[in-house]
Amino acid sequence: MARYKLHRLSEVSAKRKKIDSIAETHNFGYRKEFHLLMQAQQYFDNMYQYRKDRARCKNYTYGKQWNDIITVDGKQMTEEEYIKMQGSIPLKTNLIRRLVRNVIGLWRSQDKEPTCVARDRKEMKLGETLSTLLQYNWKVNRNSEVNARTMEEFLISGLAIQRKVCMWKNERYDCYTLPVQPDAFFINTDMKDYRGWDTNFIGEVYDMDIMTACSLYAKKPEDYTKLREIYKNCHDRGYLTEYCGQFGYYDQRNIDFLFTADPNMCRVIEIWRKEYKERYRCHDYNTGKFFKIEVEDYEAMVSSVNKQRLIDAKQFGIPEDEVPLIKAEWFIDDYWYYYIMAPTGEVLDEGESPYQHKSHPYVFKAYPFIDGEIHSFVADVIDQQRYTNRLIVLYDWIMRASAKGVLLFPEDCLPDGMSIDDVADEWGRFNGVIAIKAKPGVALPQQIANNSTNIGISELLNLQLKFFEDISGVNGALQGKPGYSNMSGTLYEQQTQNAATSLLDILESFSDFCIDAAYKDVKNIQQFYDKEMIINIVGDGASLDFKDLDRVHDVEFDINIIQSTASPTYKERQNQFLMEIWKAGQISLQQMLQHGNFPFGDDLLQSLQSQQEQIQSGRVPSGVSPELMQQAQQGADMEAVNRAYGMLRAA
């Protein structure tokens, strides 16, 4: 008999803790939600300087160009207030707004749209169908206008953001593109990859009325009551301050992240964060597919399937080492998980990413984002705009001073009851009258005026305007200004091309943003458009067998940005090509009308098809009188006519 007590292995060994970040945070109870909210608050606060710079660039773009704060004699004031204190007018000439409009106009003039190209050439028809669905979705979302305004934001702030969701909107269930205001956006600030691939925390804050919040997040009557109770105190700034302060995490000096100033709206915080969980990465050698499974599904989806394949292999005489089994590898998976939260920490909705692309719904692009820094296009020319405004104000002040001049007023001529200040005020009036006491030998008041306007301000102003064009890259040719006298058209065109080249980097960067946005659009289309919806959109014009439409949801594709097929130039080239091959006899008239873009094409095609149907049924085509038809048949070899007609139909 053993002299010691023998324990069970399970009693003396530590159990391995399952790796699951969601399960771990649930152990914190209500602190879990608040900790997550404060993490979002921290990232939001870390973007304070960016929001400040964006506001300054936006002010300069839209004409508020004297709003910078300065300190004069220990007192802070705006530059506009200081200029007014000096008796001047804060004049400005907004060159930045024109600059932004020119770049947006250049972007729009390119008239590009995304298309899908299937990676497998056997699936080219599926790629064409995806392109049709994508272009339809862009028309539904008015993406031409949405992208133009996003481009404007991109130039001003250096950050373009959109949100791709599938939802009910305007009594219609579809995939929608929603613009995101950068001031309400937050992201992990340790991100350095300009492609955004190292993002692990992203979200936004937005306001909605209580009924909208209930319609989105109340799944049963009890949820409606709970939501009303949650948001009852969310408009009380003092309540939020005490609620947040009791945990010791929150800085009470700034609760703008949690508080909405509009008492009719409810603040909702949407957070997407990467969570971690142990899973198996599987490779099925029989089908060539890769997939992930949960740990608890390993027995059913890997072990059992492999055992059955080994049994089946024996029946077919396949050696065991030749059986294509499923190989599974344990790993720690990072996946996107979303939280919809109230300002008091309650989670209104949560779950793993419901999208087929398995990511968050946001598309963003920061420019240029070197070392994680954003330097907007507008910020580069603010100094030139400021100096231009200063020269204009200085010019105005000198002209006004030169026009009036300096008054020399002898003290002996000062009227009774008037001080020298009174004389100055009266002299400043355009119709002022000053009564003087003229004394012998005393000089009369006189005005000394000197034209001091020609001191080089015009040259400095022209120099700044030239700097403005050189720094921005938008020269006079790109702005549509006429060239100088005797300037050749080739030189003018070359200047326009050079200006477009200087802007190529920012334009192509925004094109990459549009490609990323289109990719998520197509992934959402593949996920949420069913077969019937695809048929309704594509219609009879699709060169695709409807029995293969289910494959649209699985096809892999690449996104390209090409010239829009709706542009007049594209249509003209397409029509010219069709006309050439029609003249060469390679296609029929009906085929040319089907694939061309002729203003009369549909009507003419319908007329030809109607006439062909009448001939096939033995009826006289419309527009041809029976008498004329009878005369033609009497004088014609009908057997030869029928043979010729058969040859035409075969063609």
Side-chain angles (χ1 to χ4, degrees):
M1 185 175 179
R3 297 181 180 179
Y4 56 88
K5 182 179 180 181
L6 185 64
H7 297 276
R8 295 179 181 271
L9 178 63
S10 59
E11 295 176 351
V12 296
S13 62
K15 294 183 178 179
R16 188 181 72 86
K17 190 176 182 181
K18 188 176 180 181
I19 302 175
D20 189 341
S21 59
I22 297 295
E24 292 175 2
T25 54
H26 273 291
N27 294 333
F28 288 98
Y30 63 86
R31 285 181 178 269
K32 181 267 299 188
E33 291 85 357
F34 191 79
H35 176 76
L36 178 64
L37 199 63
M38 292 304 100
Q39 187 179 6
Q41 164 77 73
Q42 184 61 49
Y43 286 136
F44 184 82
D45 288 344
N46 289 346
M47 296 180 68
Y48 168 77
Q49 187 61 43
Y50 162 76
R51 291 193 294 271
K52 183 179 178 180
D53 293 341
R54 174 184 178 269
R56 184 169 185 255
C57 291
K58 186 177 70 171
N59 286 337
Y60 273 90
T61 302
Y62 297 116
K64 298 180 180 179
Q65 298 177 349
W66 294 107
N67 278 13
D68 287 356
I69 302 298
I70 59 176
T71 302
V72 180
D73 297 331
K75 181 180 179 181
Q76 288 190 337
M77 64 183 71
T78 64
E79 292 179 327
E80 182 176 0
E81 294 172 343
Y82 178 71
I83 293 173
K84 290 180 178 179
M85 285 176 55
Q86 303 303 311
S88 297
I89 302 173
L91 301 174
K92 54 185 175 289
T93 299
N94 195 348
L95 301 174
I96 294 180
R97 180 63 175 148
R98 182 191 64 180
L99 174 68
V100 170
R101 286 200 303 264
N102 288 334
V103 179
I104 296 175
L106 179 62
W107 163 258
R108 286 208 172 199
S109 66
Q110 295 179 346
D111 203 11
K112 293 183 177 181
E113 64 182 9
T115 60
C116 298
V117 180
R119 296 175 181 172
D120 187 351
R121 293 190 63 85
K122 297 179 182 179
E123 298 176 334
M124 289 183 62
K125 292 183 178 180
L126 297 174
E128 294 174 2
T129 301
L130 281 176
S131 295
T132 303
L133 295 173
L134 176 60
Q135 290 160 15
Y136 156 81
N137 183 261
W138 276 48
K139 293 289 177 56
V140 168
N141 285 282
R142 307 295 191 269
N143 269 6
S144 177
E145 176 66 21
V146 172
N147 285 341
R149 300 285 70 79
T150 306
M151 177 68 169
E152 188 169 12
E153 177 67 52
F154 190 59
L155 296 174
I156 294 173
S157 67
L159 183 62
I161 317 167
Q162 291 179 358
R163 187 164 171 257
K164 305 290 185 175
V165 295
C166 196
M167 59 186 296
W168 281 97
K169 196 174 185 66
N170 300 326
E171 300 298 326
R172 180 177 187 168
Y173 189 78
D174 212 323
C175 299
Y176 290 101
T177 298
L178 304 179
V180 178
Q181 185 182 9
D183 280 351
F185 180 75
F186 55 87
I187 195 170
N188 57 296
T189 48
D190 57 345
M191 184 181 65
K192 294 295 185 292
D193 193 334
Y194 38 80
R195 296 166 298 185
W197 291 0
D198 54 350
T199 306
N200 54 46
F201 198 102
I202 192 171
E204 68 173 314
V205 297
Y206 41 83
D207 298 332
M208 61 182 69
D209 60 83
I210 183 62
M211 294 311 300
T212 301
C214 292
S215 66
L216 291 175
Y217 308 118
K219 310 301 181 184
K220 52 184 180 296
E222 294 78 9
D223 294 341
Y224 172 78
T225 305
K226 180 181 178 181
L227 282 170
R228 301 285 298 197
E229 183 66 25
I230 288 174
Y231 281 102
K232 181 176 65 175
N233 296 318
C234 284
H235 296 299
D236 187 345
R237 183 179 290 266
Y239 174 81
L240 283 178
T241 302
E242 293 177 1
Y243 181 83
C244 299
Q246 66 182 340
F247 295 95
Y249 291 104
Y250 189 59
D251 185 358
Q252 299 184 19
R253 293 173 298 177
N254 180 17
I255 63 171
D256 293 337
F257 178 74
L258 303 175
F259 186 79
T260 173
D262 189 348
N264 299 316
M265 307 299 284
C266 301
R267 173 60 53 89
V268 177
I269 300 101
E270 180 171 347
I271 299 172
W272 289 75
R273 185 174 70 169
K274 274 194 174 181
E275 302 290 355
Y276 298 89
K277 189 176 186 180
E278 56 179 316
R279 283 173 171 162
Y280 281 97
R281 184 186 291 114
C282 304
H283 181 198
D284 190 343
Y285 282 86
N286 191 49
T287 62
K289 292 184 177 180
F290 288 90
F291 57 94
K292 295 183 293 186
I293 62 172
E294 303 293 340
V295 173
E296 53 268 21
D297 296 331
Y298 179 83
E299 181 65 30
M301 299 184 68
V302 178
S303 297
S304 298
V305 174
N306 286 340
K307 290 178 182 178
Q308 186 62 44
R309 289 184 181 180
L310 291 173
I311 295 174
D312 295 340
K314 290 181 180 180
Q315 297 178 357
F316 291 103
I318 300 175
E320 184 174 331
D321 58 347
E322 291 291 329
V323 179
L325 301 177
I326 300 177
K327 302 295 183 180
E329 177 187 16
W330 180 92
F331 76 112
I332 298 177
D333 186 22
D334 58 337
Y335 60 97
W336 284 101
Y337 197 89
Y338 73 91
Y339 304 85
I340 309 296
M341 304 189 68
T344 49
E346 287 86 356
V347 177
L348 309 180
D349 192 15
E350 63 178 317
E352 192 171 345
S353 174
Y355 300 105
Q356 184 173 311
H357 51 71
K358 296 301 179 183
S359 182
H360 54 79
Y362 296 98
V363 183
F364 66 92
K365 183 70 174 180
Y367 181 85
F369 211 63
I370 302 300
D371 291 336
E373 298 178 4
I374 297 176
H375 302 281
S376 74
F377 179 75
V378 167
D380 292 339
V381 293
I382 283 182
D383 287 342
Q384 276 60 48
Q385 177 69 69
R386 286 171 56 82
Y387 198 64
T388 299
N389 290 342
R390 290 182 64 183
L391 289 175
I392 292 174
V393 172
L394 180 61
Y395 212 157
D396 175 71
W397 183 83
I398 291 176
M399 286 190 300
R400 287 189 291 112
S402 299
K404 197 66 179 177
V406 178
L407 178 65
L408 296 180
F409 198 95
E411 293 183 355
D412 293 339
C413 297
L414 194 65
D416 295 335
M418 291 187 69
S419 65
I420 194 66
D421 293 333
D422 296 332
V423 172
D425 292 339
E426 190 67 23
W427 177 73
R429 302 175 186 271
F430 75 94
N431 58 351
V433 177
I434 303 175
I436 64 172
K437 293 181 178 181
K439 296 182 180 180
V442 178
L444 294 176
Q446 59 177 328
Q447 174 179 305
I448 299 177
N450 183 25
N451 186 8
S452 58
T453 58
N454 189 18
I455 59 174
I457 292 182
S458 298
E459 290 76 8
L460 286 174
L461 189 57
N462 289 328
L463 182 63
Q464 288 302 316
L465 295 178
K466 186 66 171 63
F467 281 158
F468 203 96
E469 293 183 357
D470 291 341
I471 294 172
S472 66
V474 182
N475 60 23
L478 194 61
Q479 297 172 17
K481 294 181 179 179
Y484 56 80
S485 179
N486 298 326
M487 182 180 184
S488 67
T490 304
L491 178 59
Y492 188 81
E493 183 179 355
Q494 184 64 40
Q495 289 183 355
T496 305
Q497 183 177 352
N498 292 341
T501 302
S502 67
L503 296 173
L504 186 61
D505 179 58
I506 193 169
L507 294 177
E508 288 300 316
S509 181
F510 190 75
S511 293
D512 288 341
F513 167 80
C514 293
I515 290 175
D516 292 340
Y519 178 82
K520 287 197 174 181
D521 281 329
V522 177
K523 281 298 183 181
N524 287 344
I525 288 171
Q526 288 181 316
Q527 181 177 358
F528 296 106
Y529 281 17
D530 55 22
K531 184 176 181 180
E532 289 73 18
M533 189 172 183
I534 294 175
I535 294 175
N536 290 335
I537 295 172
V538 177
D540 297 333
S543 57
L544 183 67
D545 222 343
F546 285 149
K547 66 181 180 181
D548 294 332
L549 281 178
D550 290 334
R551 297 170 55 202
V552 171
H553 300 89
D554 300 322
V555 64
E556 288 297 323
F557 57 89
D558 292 321
I559 297 291
N560 292 332
I561 295 287
I562 64 171
Q563 186 181 19
S564 173
T565 57
S567 65
T569 303
Y570 184 92
K571 291 180 179 179
E572 182 180 358
R573 292 179 180 176
Q574 182 183 22
N575 290 343
Q576 289 177 354
F577 175 74
L578 290 173
M579 289 290 291
E580 292 296 329
I581 61 177
W582 174 70
K583 290 178 181 179
Q586 301 297 318
I587 60 174
S588 66
L589 178 61
Q590 287 87 344
Q591 289 175 321
M592 183 180 69
L593 295 175
Q594 284 177 349
H595 298 280
N597 290 278
F598 302 97
F600 51 85
D602 293 338
D603 294 337
L604 182 57
L605 181 62
Q606 185 177 2
S607 177
L608 289 174
Q609 292 174 346
S610 176
Q611 189 179 51
Q612 187 176 6
E613 291 174 357
Q614 292 174 1
I615 294 175
Q616 289 176 351
S617 61
R619 292 178 294 166
V620 178
S622 58
V624 181
S625 64
E627 294 80 4
L628 181 61
M629 192 69 178
Q630 185 177 5
Q631 292 177 7
Q633 290 177 355
Q634 290 176 356
D637 186 354
M638 294 307 300
E639 184 178 353
V641 171
N642 291 332
R643 286 199 304 270
Y645 177 68
M647 294 173 63
L648 290 173
R649 290 190 60 189

